[in-house]
Amino acid sequence: MKQKETIILGIESSCDDTSAAILKGTAILSNVIAGQKVHQEYGGVVPELASRAHLQNIIPVVESAIKKAGITKENIDVIAFTKGPGLLGSLIVGTSFAKTFALAMDIPLVDVNHMYGHILAHFIDDENKPKPKFPFLCLTVSGGHTQIVVVNGYLDMELVGTTIDDAAGEAFDKAAKMLGFPYPGGPLIDRYAKNGDASKFKFAKPRVGGYNFSFSGLKTSILYYLQKQEKLNPNFIEENRDDLCASIQKTIVDILLKQLFEVAKDLDIKEVAIAGGVSANSELRSRLKEIGQSKQIATYIPRFEYCTDNAAMIAITGKFMHEKGLIADQSVSAKARIKF
Ligand code: KG4
Ligand code: ZN
C-alpha cells in the first residue's frame, strides 16, 4: 500500500515578507507571500513596522495558503517555521504562531534555519528541472547574506566563504538608493541594466582573504564617483541611469561568480547552484549558465518564486528535518543570529 504523503505547513517571517506554504511530499500545493510596501519610503526595512505588519498578515496568509491548497487545517501533519537568522521582532511573530498552531493541533513542530531553506528550495518538485547532486556548491545571495556553502547532503552543509561587511543584496540596494530608487532597488537595477552598457563605468572590486567577499569598498567607490560627476553635471545620474545600472550590476556579478568558480575549481566540485533573493538577478542567472557551460560544470537556478523569501523553502527543509526526527518542543525561541 502506498504510504500517505506528509502534509507540511511552512511559515516564513524573517524579514519583510509574511509567507505560508503547504507542501505534500515534495510538491508545493500553495505558497502565499504578503510583501510589505510600508518600508519603501524609508529606503530600507524598519524592524518595528515589519513586526506589526507580520502580526496583521500572518493569519490571513495562513488561511489563504490552506484554502489555495484545497485542504483543511486538520489535514496538516507537521508545521515548520523560520527560527532565524533575521529580524528578531519579525521572527517572533512566525515562531509564536507556529508554536501555538502545533500545540492546538497536536502536531510536530520543526524549527528551520532560513539559510538552509534558501538552498533546499532546489529540491521542491519541478517537472522540468533537474535537482543538484551532492556534493554541490551553493552561492546564497540575499539582502542579509552572501555565502558559499558546500552541500554534502540535505542537512550536511559547510560554510566556506562569507561577506566580511555588506551582503550582495545590500550592495544592490545601497547603490540603487544612491541612484534615487525606492527600496528594495535590486530588481530596479536589474530592469534598467537591460538597456545599458555595462562597460561604460568601472568600479572597485575589493578582494579579501580566503573565499570571503567584501562589498563596502564598492559602495564607497560608487558613492565618490557619483558625487564627483554630479558636481560637474547635476543631471549625471538621470542621463546615465541605464549604463550606471548595467555597470554596477556587472561589477557585483563579476565579484560573485569569480569567487564561486574559483572555489569550485579548488574543491573540484562539478555542480554549482545559486539561491536567495539576488539569484533572481537576470545577469547573475545568465552568466552563471554561460560560465558553467564553458567549464563543463552543471548549474542550477531556482524558480523565481523560490529565490526571494518564501515559505515553500521552509516547508521543504522542514520535511527533511522531520524525516530525520529533528523536532523542536515548546521551549524553542526565535534567534536573530544562528551560527551556520
Ligand atoms: O532572500 P531575500 O528575499 O531576503 C533576504 O533574506 O534578505 O533577498 C532580498 C534581496 C534584496 O536585497 C533585493 O534587492 C535582492 O534580493 N533582489 C535582487 C533582485 N531581486 C531581488 N537583486 C538584484 N536583482 C534582482 N533581480
Ligand atoms: Zn532570505
Side-chain angles (χ1 to χ4, degrees):
M1 201 175 76
K2 196 168 176 262
Q3 218 188 342
K4 178 186 168 292
E5 285 182 306
T6 306
I7 295 185
I8 302 186
L9 167 62
I11 303 287
E12 156 63 29
S13 72
S14 67
C15 191
D16 60 340
D17 292 305
T18 319
S19 180
I22 301 287
L23 179 83
K24 184 177 184 185
T26 50
I28 287 293
L29 304 184
S30 64
N31 182 37
V32 176
I33 304 171
Q36 303 179 356
K37 292 216 172 350
V38 62
H39 309 287
Q40 269 177 3
E41 60 184 293
Y42 297 98
V45 176
V46 183
E48 178 55 31
L49 297 180
S51 322
R52 276 192 238 168
H54 282 303
L55 270 176
Q56 283 172 346
N57 291 342
I58 187 102
I59 291 177
V61 163
V62 170
E63 278 177 343
S64 161
I66 291 173
K67 193 163 169 227
K68 278 196 178 153
I71 62 163
T72 65
K73 64 180 186 307
E74 288 73 23
N75 299 131
I76 297 168
D77 302 307
V78 176
I79 179 161
F81 69 99
T82 302
K83 174 192 170 132
L87 299 171
L88 191 61
S90 292
L91 290 164
I92 286 173
V93 178
T95 304
S96 312
F97 176 87
K99 284 166 72 171
T100 312
F101 191 90
L103 198 63
M105 303 304 292
D106 194 21
I107 56 171
L109 177 68
V110 182
D111 56 332
V112 172
N113 179 330
H114 180 85
M115 302 314 291
Y116 274 46
H118 273 302
I119 296 173
L120 295 176
H122 281 282
F123 295 96
I124 293 169
D125 265 4
D126 196 338
E127 275 169 31
N128 308 313
K129 276 169 79 71
K131 298 180 172 44
K133 293 176 242 359
F134 302 120
F136 67 92
L137 213 54
C138 189
L139 171 73
T140 314
V141 269
S142 70
H145 294 88
T146 304
Q147 301 179 331
I148 299 182
V149 177
V150 179
V151 188
N152 294 308
Y154 294 122
L155 302 171
D156 178 4
M157 306 191 192
E158 189 190 342
L159 180 70
V160 293
T162 184
T163 178
I164 61 163
D165 42 55
D166 293 350
E170 231 175 322
F172 268 108
D173 295 337
K174 286 180 177 169
K177 196 174 172 185
M178 293 178 215
L179 299 177
F181 303 158
Y183 176 86
L188 291 169
I189 292 199
D190 191 353
R191 189 193 307 162
Y192 295 127
K194 288 190 170 53
N195 306 316
D197 173 4
S199 62
K200 183 90 174 273
F201 305 107
K202 295 266 177 288
F203 299 108
K205 288 185 198 163
R207 293 231 45 174
V208 280
Y211 297 137
N212 294 327
F213 298 96
S214 165
F215 287 102
S216 71
L218 167 65
K219 182 180 64 189
T220 317
S221 143
I222 298 169
L223 180 68
Y224 287 171
Y225 184 75
L226 293 178
Q227 283 175 343
K228 203 169 109 197
Q229 295 303 320
E230 278 193 300
K231 270 189 197 142
L232 304 170
N233 170 11
N235 298 325
F236 179 77
I237 292 181
E238 219 173 292
E239 287 168 13
N240 293 280
R241 184 194 65 187
D242 296 353
D243 294 340
L244 282 165
C245 287
S247 305
I248 292 168
Q249 175 172 274
K250 181 180 183 307
T251 310
I252 298 173
V253 170
D254 279 352
I255 296 171
L256 292 172
L257 292 181
K258 187 168 188 298
Q259 190 78 291
L260 180 64
F261 282 101
E262 214 169 278
V263 181
K265 182 168 173 256
D266 288 357
L267 304 185
D268 195 24
I269 294 178
K270 300 279 183 220
E271 304 265 317
V272 167
I274 53 174
V278 179
S279 63
N281 183 266
S282 55
E283 171 84 2
L284 180 63
R285 293 165 87 93
S286 64
R287 294 263 308 285
L288 178 87
K289 265 194 204 146
E290 246 174 62
I291 302 175
Q293 270 163 10
S294 75
K295 293 184 185 291
Q296 294 185 318
I297 289 180
T299 55
Y300 302 89
I301 297 170
R303 263 163 69 159
F304 270 112
E305 69 242 61
Y306 303 141
C307 288
T308 45
D309 290 346
N310 66 87
M313 69 186 199
I314 303 305
I316 191 92
T317 308
K319 171 194 159 61
F320 296 129
M321 291 177 70
H322 178 247
E323 281 170 0
K324 285 222 157 190
L326 298 170
I327 309 288
D329 61 35
Q330 286 288 327
S331 68
V332 68
S333 55
K335 290 257 176 311
R337 287 168 189 275
I338 299 183
K339 201 165 177 290
F340 194 86

